[in-house]
Amino acid sequence: MKLRNKAAALLLLALAALLLALLSLRAGRAAPPAPLARPASAPPRRAAPAPARLPGWSALPGAGPSARRRRPPRLRPRAGRRGAVSLKKSARRPGELRSFQAELPPELWIHLAVVACGNRLEETLVMLKSAVLFSHRKMQFHIFTEESLKPEFDKQLRQWPDSYTKKFEHRIYPITFSAGNPQEWKKLFKPCAAQRLFLPVILKDVDSLLYVDTDVLFLRPVDDIWKLLRQFNSTQLAAMAPEHEIPKIGWYSRFARHPFYGSAGVNSGVMLMNLTRIRSAQFKNSMISTGLAWEDMLYPLYQKYKNAITWGDQDLLNIIFYFNPECLYVFPCQWNYRPDHCMYGSNCREAEREGVSVLHGNRGVYHDEKQPTFKALYEAIRDFPFQDNLFQSMYYPLQLKFLETVHTLCGRIPQVFLKQIEKTMKRAYEKHVIIHVGPNQMH
Ligand SMILES: *[C@@H]1O[C@H](CO)[C@@H](O)[C@H](O)[C@H]1NC(C)=O
Ligand SMILES: *[C@@H]1O[C@H](CO)[C@@H](O)[C@H](O)[C@H]1NC(C)=O
């Protein structure tokens, strides 16, 4: 590329850095409060113009399709006023706004399912927030919940700012069980947990699905875990992480009274599924050799093992993949990182190397004092004011909180928890700068 362009790009980078420094000085005072409470009677949210936002770190990738259609991207005027002439100029070329999926057809959306009952409303919303916060691709949320929680989900999701709501659509479903006795399924392990077994049957029009427990947090774009679907070989139709990294001390090898996958079992808190394949596959089990469709297999399996299982539907999944190991893709522990991976010492190599990608605060650790590192992450995402500067309002507070966790084994490896967040923020930032510079000048 030409020298002059390179120089221009460098200059821009320097300008952006300066801008950032300036902004962090005045952030806090400058940022108006996130529009948290919007009265239910207010006009449709698209009509309410969001306040001008800070460029740089605060701008999440994708100033989005709807913003683009209505008017010039709203970040720009402020940048212009600050003297970044070329920023202003390039902002006028809407084609360069590399927003996430202006034209992405629905079949390319990410489908994310969660089953939330009882007092899991806040936790679920924080999980969804983490998904939207870091992801690029448009998402369809499938929320399965009790009748009583439905209005609150609807209400809260609609109160999120535009820049968030345009990245997803959501559907809310009642809890339903299509085979066997619904009351029996509901009692299994936790109320509603068995619902996930029926997702392939209920979501008939969905090709692939990421299911997560409510106590999961995404620390990097959901796009990245979604890509693992492409790595399935021809017989694989679902993906999960091992239940434990050290089989000998894992729960299944010590206590299970039923068959389970591999040497340590698998954890179903984060589960990637190709539903198309699940619906058309024939599954072997101990009772029959010829194979049964997914839906027809569930109830007989449950009947046979109900007195031996402890962890409900996760145990059933382990039994299914014990008899059908060729169907399972096992992804590494960084995609389902639990207290087990650090509370007795760090044992998840991939997370040590690449950082935690998906955090799973099981055993209620977001809500008690047992694992303050997990709690700190939960609270940082929960309390992040939607449109603030990520560094200022999430990363720095998080680092401070981590200082108070060093007395725990998990707290001694903060970089494992922070690596992906750092990377994500850096990418968001670079993308933003590259957008300004324009594709022709940055290659
Ligand atoms: C799921 O499997 C079907 C059938 O093999 C395939 O056509 C489809 O592309 C797969 N979906 C994804 C996202 O890989
Ligand atoms: C796909 O991978 C699984 C797990 O490694 C293996 O058991 C299975 O045989 C593979 N299928 C094919 C068709 O290679």
Side-chain angles (χ1 to χ4, degrees):
M1 101 180 175
K2 291 203 195 82
L3 208 58
R4 253 177 58 201
N5 287 340
K6 202 179 239 168
L10 280 173
L11 187 66
L12 266 175
L13 275 168
L15 264 174
L18 187 67
L19 205 62
L20 267 177
L22 277 171
L23 285 172
S24 43
L25 282 179
R26 60 192 295 278
R29 262 178 303 135
L36 270 176
R38 199 192 308 269
S41 58
R45 60 178 186 270
R46 299 250 177 261
R53 285 296 162 191
L54 314 178
W57 299 107
S58 63
L60 288 166
S66 56
R68 204 164 77 183
R69 253 178 271 121
R70 276 177 293 133
R71 56 185 182 129
R74 55 174 79 104
L75 313 167
R76 307 317 150 89
R78 184 170 296 211
R81 248 190 288 137
R82 297 196 156 259
V85 178
S86 32
L87 291 192
K88 194 173 171 185
K89 207 169 119 204
S90 63
R92 294 224 173 112
R93 283 174 267 157
E96 281 171 23
L97 224 196
R98 236 202 291 162
S99 65
F100 54 102
Q101 61 277 279
E103 296 84 22
L104 197 63
E107 61 268 21
L108 293 179
W109 293 12
I110 290 172
H111 290 261
L112 180 65
V114 64
V115 182
C117 290
N119 57 358
R120 301 299 188 125
L121 178 81
E122 179 195 272
E123 202 175 78
T124 307
L125 286 166
V126 178
M127 179 276 288
L128 295 173
K129 183 179 180 184
S130 75
V132 179
L133 194 53
F134 300 122
S135 299
H136 312 299
R137 213 195 272 209
K138 183 129 178 179
M139 288 177 282
Q140 175 78 56
F141 294 156
H142 303 272
I143 302 167
F144 292 80
T145 192
E146 296 158 305
E147 206 51 50
S148 58
L149 292 182
K150 182 178 181 319
E152 200 55 28
F153 265 115
D154 254 332
K155 183 169 151 236
Q156 299 225 18
L157 287 173
R158 285 179 207 288
Q159 281 172 359
W160 287 4
D162 256 13
S163 56
Y164 280 65
T165 53
K166 73 182 168 222
K167 288 172 84 174
F168 69 87
E169 284 180 12
H170 74 279
R171 276 189 216 147
I172 301 183
Y173 307 76
I175 306 289
T176 49
F177 299 97
S178 55
N181 178 349
Q183 286 315 316
E184 212 166 358
W185 285 119
K186 276 187 191 176
K187 273 187 299 195
L188 181 65
F189 188 37
K190 278 182 284 188
C192 304
Q195 179 74 81
R196 87 185 101 181
L197 297 173
F198 295 89
L199 297 178
V201 187
I202 298 169
L203 302 176
K204 283 195 171 58
D205 301 326
V206 177
D207 170 69
S208 293
L209 184 72
L210 175 60
Y211 164 87
V212 292
D213 284 351
T214 56
D215 51 7
V216 157
L217 292 171
F218 295 96
L219 306 187
R220 72 191 272 181
V222 182
D223 315 44
D224 294 343
I225 188 165
W226 194 251
K227 282 182 201 146
L228 299 178
L229 281 167
R230 291 277 163 218
Q231 298 189 15
F232 286 13
N233 70 21
S234 61
T235 50
Q236 288 164 333
L237 41 78
M240 285 182 264
E243 170 61 33
H244 212 284
E245 290 307 296
I246 309 163
K248 257 199 310 223
I249 62 168
W251 191 90
Y252 280 105
S253 58
R254 288 191 295 160
F255 304 115
R257 290 178 289 133
H258 57 79
F260 56 89
Y261 179 87
S263 52
V266 281
N267 182 284
S268 57
V270 180
M271 193 163 50
L272 196 56
M273 293 176 276
N274 183 319
L275 302 182
T276 305
R277 289 189 182 184
I278 290 179
R279 283 187 291 259
S280 63
Q282 298 283 306
F283 294 89
K284 302 182 282 289
N285 66 42
S286 59
M287 296 158 275
I288 43 146
S289 52
T290 48
L292 269 184
W294 180 267
E295 185 179 15
D296 300 333
M297 162 185 67
L298 292 178
Y299 197 64
L301 206 62
Y302 170 67
Q303 282 295 327
K304 172 158 182 177
Y305 291 102
K306 67 178 174 186
N307 295 321
I309 60 183
T310 307
W311 304 111
D313 53 328
Q314 173 170 307
D315 291 345
L316 289 183
L317 288 163
N318 267 288
I319 297 168
I320 293 170
F321 290 110
Y322 169 85
F323 290 110
N324 302 271
E326 72 285 358
C327 295
L328 189 68
Y329 176 93
V330 179
F331 51 64
C333 43
Q334 56 152 314
W335 298 104
N336 183 347
Y337 191 90
R338 279 157 282 132
D340 269 348
H341 291 122
C342 55
M343 61 193 283
Y344 312 109
S346 177
N347 62 33
C348 173
R349 289 247 174 78
E350 287 83 358
E352 286 168 12
R353 214 168 35 229
E354 298 199 23
V356 174
S357 298
V358 179
L359 191 77
H360 183 182
N362 62 357
R363 309 183 190 181
V365 292
Y366 297 146
H367 312 292
D368 62 24
E369 305 304 322
K370 292 197 182 108
Q371 296 301 335
T373 320
F374 283 72
K375 190 177 186 190
L377 271 157
Y378 177 75
E379 291 180 346
I381 295 174
R382 182 192 65 191
D383 300 339
F384 174 66
F386 282 94
Q387 295 178 324
D388 263 17
N389 180 306
L390 268 175
F391 255 83
Q392 198 81 31
S393 309
M394 178 178 316
Y395 188 71
Y396 294 152
L398 192 56
Q399 281 189 320
L400 283 181
K401 274 192 188 169
F402 272 11
L403 288 178
E404 291 158 22
T405 71
V406 290
H407 60 287
T408 66
L409 280 174
C410 295
R412 287 190 202 158
I413 47 170
Q415 73 285 1
V416 168
F417 292 88
L418 291 174
K419 204 173 206 161
Q420 282 299 333
I421 294 189
E422 269 171 27
K423 217 165 135 181
T424 304
M425 286 193 287
K426 194 158 168 277
R427 274 204 296 202
Y429 168 71
E430 282 169 357
K431 211 167 172 182
H432 197 74
V433 170
I434 291 168
I435 289 165
H436 282 302
V437 173
N440 300 336
Q441 291 148 52
M442 269 311 262
H443 297 152

